[in-house]
Amino acid sequence: MAKRAVEDSGIEDAVLKSGERPVRPEEDGDGVDFEDEFEDEFDSEDEIIEAGVDGRPDEEKEVEEKRDAMDVDQRTFIPGRDKLAAGESLSPDSSAYQMLHTLTATWPCLSFDIIRDSLGDNRKSYPATLYAVAGTQAESRRAKENQMLVMKLSGLSRTSRGRDEDSSDEDTDDEEDAEPILETKSLPLGSTTNRIRAHQIFSADPSKTPRTLVATMLENSEVQLHDITPYVTSFDTPGTILTPQQSKPLMTLRMHKSEGYAVAWSALNHQGKLITGDNDGKIFVTSCVDGKWATDIKPFTGHDSSVEDLQWSPNERNVFASASSDGTIKIWDVRSKSHAPAISVSVSKTDVNVLSWSKQTPHLLATGAEDGEWAVWDLRQWKPLSNAKTDSNAKPKPVASFNFHQEQITSLEWHPTDDSIVAVAAGDNTLTLWDLAVELDDEESRDTADVKDVPPQLLFVHFMESVKECHWHPQIPGVVMGTGAGGFG
């Protein structure tokens, strides 16, 4: 990533509404006489001088352009290791992206989720369209103004690099020039969103729109469940009127006595099954049976500190995993009458902030910790607690671990279709992509592209201010979305 000096343009940025673009006022053509640009231009051939389009000599313009040009440093900049000098800022290298867009909301969003749509899987055409839901983090004195944002992003075109790679498709050039548009619908929440997750219930009739449910874990310790189906469909149904009743939650869960950040829907339970964890180390299971929601009042306990993240097993409907600030990962079975963990493994000497269970290879689990290290574990090496006490080799080792990031890991997620690709977000303002299939040859240098301390498995580094979460789009290959203090990207 190149760095460049900040240039004061002297022009204040105008705040635009979603989807609007600045338009230059048209000049009034009434009363204007057009002249022949070549008529009586010169009195004689001796007066002809070489001039540019604005009437000034080209040499004069070149001198001015050189004087005003930015001082661009083309060296590789590694966030967290390299530091910006006074007056410098980072600028993305657009040639490294096939698509790159940024957008901002009224308030920053700590958490978001991507909503599956009916536009098809494995989409590769542009401009792209996607749907998402997010929760805001308003100023503390304006906490009541916090909202859930349901979003449709359309007109997402490729960069010039993306077009060059598919230059044979000339028919889409006009469509590619479409401006990106952000449409939003909001629902009141009344408190900051710590974590938000979406779940869809599909009908037996594929022609019917799936029901989209959203669970929001709030700073006030409540968990709100909303049906946002009318909001999602309203984007593509002109004239839809959303009523105040539709913005109200289906249910507000108040079993937690402290706030939390851990929320996960079961993809294998189609009616709706939810687990939530709090700062007291308690995990509750809430299920929908015959259209009615009920919470098991007996929590799952075993962590000595806060539950930071939760995920269901991708292939076993009764099993889930938890990450905690006590440094452990625990595996649970909801059928257990004791509500105690079946497996517990210490994976870090610091807080374990996040985890991700591979959907393609279910025995692989990735974890991210407060010290900036993230690792991949083979669950086949983890022993149940009853066996671990008698097994002297019970403590497993990760199959891979990386300490490239200099600050806490805030999010990580396996690629939905490639079991070797992982996206990682960290507090050093970076969102990175990794390929675990890359192996280091003994004869190769441990430096990547002549840059020290960069592992060969690191594919890509994207600078994003205070990035908090990242998610792969499940239907558009290679598309990653992130959220941070500066908005979405």
Side-chain angles (χ1 to χ4, degrees):
M1 185 176 295
K3 56 183 179 179
R4 60 182 175 86
V6 176
E7 182 181 32
D8 185 6
S9 63
I11 301 175
E12 295 183 357
D13 294 333
V15 178
L16 302 176
K17 296 182 179 179
S18 300
E20 293 184 353
R21 291 294 179 270
V23 179
R24 296 183 181 275
E26 297 181 358
E27 296 181 357
D28 188 356
D30 294 340
V32 176
D33 293 330
F34 291 94
E35 298 180 355
D36 183 349
E37 60 179 325
F38 301 107
E39 181 181 359
D40 299 329
E41 186 174 4
F42 306 108
D43 292 334
S44 69
E45 291 185 1
D46 294 337
E47 296 178 8
I48 296 176
I49 59 175
E50 184 179 358
V53 293
D54 58 356
R56 292 183 298 153
D58 289 338
E59 293 182 357
E60 180 181 330
K61 289 186 61 180
E62 290 177 0
V63 172
E64 182 177 325
E65 289 174 355
K66 289 181 179 179
R67 184 178 67 249
D68 296 339
M70 294 182 182
D71 181 17
V72 178
D73 187 344
Q74 298 292 350
R75 292 177 300 171
T76 303
F77 183 90
I78 306 298
R81 286 167 170 75
D82 299 333
K83 293 184 179 181
L84 292 173
E88 289 184 332
S89 67
L90 290 177
S91 177
D93 181 0
S94 60
S95 66
Y97 298 82
Q98 287 197 4
M99 183 174 73
L100 177 63
H101 295 279
T102 59
L103 58 107
T104 57
T106 306
W107 300 105
C109 297
L110 292 174
S111 181
F112 77 101
D113 205 1
I114 293 175
I115 301 172
R116 292 185 65 94
D117 54 54
S118 59
L119 300 178
D121 295 335
N122 199 32
R123 304 201 297 267
K124 297 180 181 179
S125 60
Y126 290 87
T129 298
L130 63 86
Y131 300 79
V133 61
T136 64
Q137 182 191 26
E139 297 176 0
S140 56
R141 61 187 178 86
R142 302 174 65 178
K144 295 298 183 181
E145 297 180 21
N146 276 295
Q147 300 173 324
M148 178 194 301
L149 301 178
V150 185
M151 302 177 287
K152 177 184 178 182
L153 291 76
S154 57
L156 303 177
S157 58
R158 288 181 289 188
T159 60
S160 57
R161 175 209 170 188
R163 297 190 193 187
D164 292 342
E165 292 182 354
D166 193 18
S167 58
S168 60
D169 190 2
E170 299 178 356
D171 296 336
T172 61
D173 286 349
D174 293 340
E175 295 180 0
E176 291 266 350
D177 292 334
E179 290 289 341
I181 298 174
L182 169 64
E183 302 172 74
T184 62
K185 310 286 184 182
S186 61
L187 294 78
L189 291 177
S191 183
T192 293
T193 295
N194 288 346
R195 192 69 55 87
I196 190 168
R197 291 293 180 262
H199 173 69
Q200 289 182 307
I201 302 174
F202 293 87
S203 170
D205 184 354
S207 64
K208 291 186 177 181
T209 302
R211 189 184 185 199
T212 303
L213 304 179
V214 172
T216 311
M217 193 129 193
L218 302 175
E219 192 177 51
N220 63 8
S221 79
E222 292 182 352
V223 180
Q224 292 189 8
L225 306 182
H226 286 86
D227 182 350
I228 64 168
T229 308
Y231 288 82
V232 176
T233 58
S234 68
F235 291 120
D236 304 306
T237 310
T240 300
I241 298 176
L242 298 171
T243 65
Q245 184 64 30
Q246 291 173 319
S247 68
K248 295 181 179 180
L250 298 174
M251 177 167 287
T252 300
L253 308 176
R254 297 185 174 90
M255 63 279 190
H256 292 285
K257 304 307 178 185
S258 63
E259 68 173 311
Y261 293 83
V263 181
W265 290 97
S266 170
L268 302 180
N269 189 301
H270 303 297
Q271 291 192 62
K273 197 162 193 173
L274 182 73
I275 44 177
T276 54
D278 59 31
N279 288 350
D280 292 333
K282 296 179 180 179
I283 302 170
F284 289 89
V285 177
T286 301
S287 306
C288 182
V289 180
D290 297 328
K292 296 182 179 180
W293 294 92
T295 300
D296 186 345
I297 60 173
K298 181 180 179 182
F300 286 79
T301 56
H303 282 296
D304 297 328
S305 190
S306 61
V307 178
E308 298 295 319
D309 201 5
L310 291 165
Q311 281 216 347
W312 289 92
S313 166
N315 65 337
E316 296 187 50
R317 61 183 294 121
N318 295 307
V319 175
F320 68 89
S322 61
S324 172
S325 56
D326 63 12
T328 67
I329 296 290
K330 299 186 188 297
I331 308 296
W332 314 72
D333 190 323
V334 294
R335 296 167 297 185
S336 169
K337 295 182 179 179
S338 65
H339 285 205
I343 298 175
S344 179
V345 174
S346 177
V347 300
S348 177
K349 295 180 180 179
T350 61
D351 300 0
V352 184
N353 295 330
V354 289
L355 77 162
S356 180
W357 212 319
S358 172
K359 295 181 175 62
Q360 297 298 313
T361 309
H363 63 263
L364 293 181
L365 186 77
T367 60
E370 186 73 15
D371 59 4
E373 183 177 21
W374 73 276
V376 177
W377 306 83
D378 187 340
L379 297 182
R380 296 173 299 183
Q381 300 177 1
W382 291 16
K383 305 296 183 182
L385 287 174
S386 57
N387 297 337
K389 294 178 181 179
T390 59
D391 189 348
S392 59
N393 299 318
K395 189 173 182 178
K397 296 181 179 180
V399 295
S401 62
F402 304 93
N403 57 4
F404 169 80
H405 288 286
Q406 300 297 295
E407 298 291 341
Q408 73 276 12
I409 304 299
T410 58
S411 179
L412 81 169
E413 187 170 284
W414 290 93
H415 191 285
T417 59
D418 191 327
D419 62 357
S420 68
I421 305 295
V422 182
V424 180
D428 56 10
N429 300 319
T430 61
L431 195 164
T432 56
L433 304 182
W434 301 74
D435 186 355
L436 301 179
V438 176
E439 296 182 0
L440 182 65
D441 193 309
D442 292 339
E443 298 179 359
E444 292 180 353
S445 168
R446 300 196 68 87
D447 300 335
T448 300
D450 297 327
V451 179
K452 294 183 178 180
D453 301 324
V454 176
Q457 292 84 0
L458 179 61
L459 292 180
F460 198 84
V461 179
H462 174 71
F463 179 84
M464 192 171 188
E465 183 184 357
S466 301
V467 58
K468 296 299 182 183
E469 264 189 22
C470 61
H471 297 296
W472 296 95
H473 196 293
Q475 297 169 283
I476 310 179
V479 171
V480 183
M481 185 172 176
T483 183
F488 297 96

